[in-house]
Amino acid sequence: QEVNKETKGLSAFDFDDTLALTKEKVLYTMPDGKTGELTASEFAAQAEQLTAEGAKFDFSNFENVDLSTLEGPMVDEARKKQKKFGPKDIFVVTARPNTSVNAIHTFLKGIGLNIPKANITGLSNGDPQAKADWFLQKATEGYNDFYFSDDSLLNVQQVKNVLDQIDVKSEVQQAIAAKEQVLSEEFNKQIEEVTGIKAGQTVSNVSGSVYEGTSQSDDL
C-alpha cells in the first residue's frame, strides 16, 4: 500500500551568474605552470575540460562580492518563491569558498532576498558532483520536492541525474542571462548614479516560467 508522504520542498540557487552577475575571476594554474583567469560564466563552461587537463583552481577572489554587482537572471524567481513559501527553505549553494557566505548574505539582503545565512553554502569546489552530493544530503534530511537553478549546464545535468535516481519530485533549470537584461540593468544603474532616482524594474528572467500550486517544483 502506497503511503502519501508529506511534501517538504526546497528551492536552491547557484550564486554567480544566477542570482548575481558577478565580476570576480576564478584563477587557475595548469600542470606546466601556465596561469589564467575565468569569469563565472567562463568557469561554468570550461571547468570540466580544464579539470581533465589537470588545472588547479583558486577561488580566493570570490571571498567578497563587488559592491557594483548586478542582479542575476533568477532573482525574480527567487523573490517569487520567497513571497510564496517564505525564505526558510530557500538555499544558495555555490562553488565559492565558505568564507564568502557573509558577503553573499549581505548582497542578497540588499536586493530583498532574506535568505538565512545558515542556508548559504560555499562548497569551495567547482565539481558538479559536489552540488549533487549537497542535494543528496538534503534528501536524507527529509526534503522530497526540489527546485534548482544554476548557470552551469554541467551542474544542472548532474543534479538532475542524481535527483532522477531517488524518490523525489524535482525541477532543474539553467539560468541564462539575456544580453538585454545586462544592458538594461547597467543602464538603470547609470541612471541611479546620475539622478539619484532608482530606475524602474529590472528585466525579469528569460525563462518566463510561472509556477503555480503549492509545490516548489513542477513536473518537467
Side-chain angles (χ1 to χ4, degrees):
Q1 186 179 339
E2 189 174 324
V3 178
N4 285 330
K5 288 187 294 187
E6 185 179 342
T7 297
K8 185 179 181 184
L10 70 77
S11 298
F13 295 86
D14 174 43
F15 183 67
D16 295 287
D17 285 355
T18 301
L19 292 179
L21 296 176
T22 43
K23 299 175 180 180
E24 289 81 19
K25 302 284 180 68
V26 181
L27 308 178
Y28 67 88
T29 305
M30 303 304 292
D32 63 3
K34 179 191 163 195
T35 60
E37 58 181 33
L38 302 166
T39 64
S41 56
E42 288 169 343
F43 177 77
Q46 299 175 37
E48 184 180 42
Q49 180 63 34
L50 286 168
T51 299
E53 293 171 8
K56 298 292 182 198
F57 296 107
D58 174 0
F59 293 95
S60 56
N61 287 352
F62 283 78
E63 292 183 6
N64 297 300
V65 179
D66 192 290
L67 292 175
S68 62
T69 299
L70 302 174
E71 292 181 8
M74 300 309 292
V75 167
D76 283 351
E77 189 58 46
R79 286 193 187 113
K80 271 193 255 175
K81 291 189 181 298
Q82 177 175 263
K83 187 175 180 183
K84 194 166 188 178
F85 302 106
K88 76 179 182 66
D89 290 316
I90 298 178
F91 294 82
V92 175
V93 56
T94 172
R96 284 181 178 237
N98 211 42
T99 47
S100 66
V101 167
N102 284 342
I104 292 172
H105 183 255
T106 300
F107 172 80
L108 294 175
K109 199 170 179 185
I111 60 172
L113 290 173
N114 301 310
I115 297 169
K117 197 181 290 185
N119 286 14
I120 303 171
T121 300
L123 297 169
S124 304
N125 189 340
D127 185 345
Q129 187 59 43
K131 289 197 176 180
D133 288 344
W134 182 89
F135 278 92
L136 286 173
Q137 175 59 39
K138 290 299 173 189
T140 68
E141 294 172 19
Y143 287 100
N144 54 21
D145 184 359
F146 295 94
Y147 171 87
F148 175 54
S149 180
D150 193 312
D151 67 300
S152 164
L153 186 59
L154 286 172
N155 289 345
V156 165
Q157 288 172 333
Q158 186 67 5
V159 169
K160 180 174 175 9
N161 290 343
V162 166
L163 293 180
D164 282 350
Q165 291 170 34
I166 59 178
D167 184 22
V168 298
K169 189 176 180 184
S170 65
E171 175 180 346
V172 296
Q173 183 173 25
Q174 187 179 14
I176 302 170
K179 284 182 182 174
E180 293 82 359
Q181 179 197 17
V182 179
L183 292 172
S184 170
E185 292 192 329
E186 295 246 0
F187 182 63
N188 282 359
K189 223 168 181 58
Q190 286 172 6
I191 290 174
E192 286 175 35
E193 286 168 3
V194 172
T195 65
I197 299 168
K198 194 161 181 65
Q201 292 291 103
T202 54
V203 178
S204 62
N205 74 71
V206 296
S207 71
S209 302
V210 178
Y211 305 104
E212 300 295 344
T214 57
S215 168
Q216 298 237 357
S217 70
D218 285 327
D219 290 330
L220 292 177

